[in-house]
Amino acid sequence: DERLARQIQFLLEIDGLKQVLRRSLILGSARRENSAEHSWHLAMLALILHEHANEPVDLLYTIKLLLIHDIVELDAGDTFAYDFEAGKSKAEREQDAAQRIFGLLPTDQAGELRALWEEYEGMQSAESRFANALDRLMPMFHNLADGGTTWQTGGVRPQFVADRAAAISEGSAALATLAGEILRQAQANGLFGEAS
C-alpha cells in the first residue's frame, strides 16, 4: 500500500529528531536535550497548564501544534534563540525543510501537517499563541533550575531573554507573569554571569 509506505517512511525519518541537539540541558544532567524530547515535554506542559491560556484552547489541537512545530529541525537544525546571525537564515532553512519532510507524506497529510506548522509559526490562533508561549517559557524553567548554564555559555543577556519572553503574554498572561518572576530570580541569583 503506497499510502502506508509513505506514512511509515515519514515516521522513520522523523526519528532523527532524537539526534538534533538543543542548547538546553536535561535537568540534573550534563547531557543536552534533543528536539524530540523538547517536543514531548512541551506537549506535557500543554496538558498540565492549558487552563492558564488567555482564551479557551482545544488541548488536542495544541498538542498537535507542539508535536509538529520543530520537525523542520531534522534538516534545518536547532537555531539557538539568541544566535542572531544564524537567525537570519532560519526561515529559509526551515521552509526548505518543511517542503521536503512534510512532502514524504501522502498529499492530504502533508498539507495538514504543513498547515499546522505554518499556523504555529504565524501564531494565528489561540492554540498557536499558547503553544508559542510554552515554547518560550520552558527554556527559562530549565535555566533557572540548572543555574543558568545555557544562558552563561551562550553569552545571553537578561534583555535578550526579556525580549523573547514578551510574546508569552499573547498566549497566557499568567505564564507571562511567571516568566517575569523567573527573570527577576535569575538576575538576583547571578545566572547571567558577570559580563551580562
Side-chain angles (χ1 to χ4, degrees), residues 1-16 74 100-107 109-110 113:
D1 180 303
E2 182 184 346
R3 180 177 178 84
L4 179 58
R6 291 184 72 172
Q7 291 167 329
I8 297 300
Q9 180 186 8
F10 172 81
L11 292 170
L12 291 173
E13 186 77 10
I14 65 170
D15 187 73
L74 187 59
R100 185 193 76 78
I101 298 164
F102 297 130
L104 297 172
L105 284 164
T107 305
Q109 288 184 316
L113 269 60

Side-chain angles (χ1 to χ4, degrees), residues 183-196:
L183 185 57
R184 281 188 291 281
Q185 286 182 31
Q187 287 181 283
N189 294 338
L191 301 187
F192 292 99
E194 301 264 335
S196 297

Side-chain angles (χ1 to χ4, degrees), residues 2-196:
E2 182 184 346
R3 180 177 178 84
L4 179 58
R6 291 184 72 172
Q7 291 167 329
I8 297 300
Q9 180 186 8
F10 172 81
L11 292 170
L12 291 173
E13 186 77 10
I14 65 170
D15 187 73
L17 283 176
K18 297 172 186 173
Q19 296 183 46
V20 177
L21 296 180
R22 303 177 60 82
R23 293 286 184 102
S24 296
L25 300 177
I26 293 175
L27 296 182
S29 170
R31 181 173 76 79
R32 290 164 54 188
E33 74 172 341
N34 63 53
S35 287
E37 293 166 330
H38 168 73
S39 295
W40 165 81
H41 205 182
L42 285 176
M44 290 300 299
L45 263 70
L47 180 65
I48 303 303
L49 300 176
H50 70 276
E51 68 190 66
H52 301 289
N54 286 342
E55 307 167 69
V57 293
D58 179 322
L59 179 58
L60 178 58
Y61 194 79
T62 304
I63 289 172
K64 282 183 179 183
L65 291 168
L66 290 168
L67 291 175
I68 295 303
H69 86 287
D70 275 344
I71 281 181
V72 295
E73 291 184 359
L74 187 59
D75 287 358
D78 175 57
T79 303
F80 185 45
Y82 306 106
D83 184 341
F84 304 115
E85 190 59 37
K88 293 176 185 176
S89 65
K90 179 183 178 195
E92 183 179 345
R93 286 183 286 116
E94 290 188 348
Q95 286 291 336
D96 290 345
Q99 183 69 27
R100 185 193 76 78
I101 298 164
F102 297 130
L104 297 172
L105 284 164
T107 305
D108 61 319
Q109 288 184 316
E112 177 190 2
L113 269 60
R114 175 79 184 250
L116 286 168
W117 177 72
E118 289 175 354
E119 180 179 339
Y120 173 86
E121 290 294 314
M123 296 176 64
Q124 302 164 355
S125 63
E127 288 82 4
S128 60
R129 288 186 290 275
F130 184 62
N132 267 277
L134 297 175
D135 194 23
R136 291 165 189 264
L137 181 65
M138 193 170 76
M140 296 180 75
F141 282 146
H142 274 246
N143 274 284
L144 185 63
D146 79 359
T149 303
T150 304
W151 288 335
Q152 291 175 1
T153 60
V156 177
R157 298 184 178 279
Q159 189 60 52
F160 297 166
V161 176
D163 290 347
R164 180 162 170 75
I168 294 173
S169 65
E170 294 181 41
S172 172
L175 297 182
T177 299
L178 176 60
E181 181 55 33
I182 290 170
L183 185 57
R184 281 188 291 281
Q185 286 182 31
Q187 287 181 283
N189 294 338
L191 301 187
F192 292 99
E194 301 264 335
S196 297

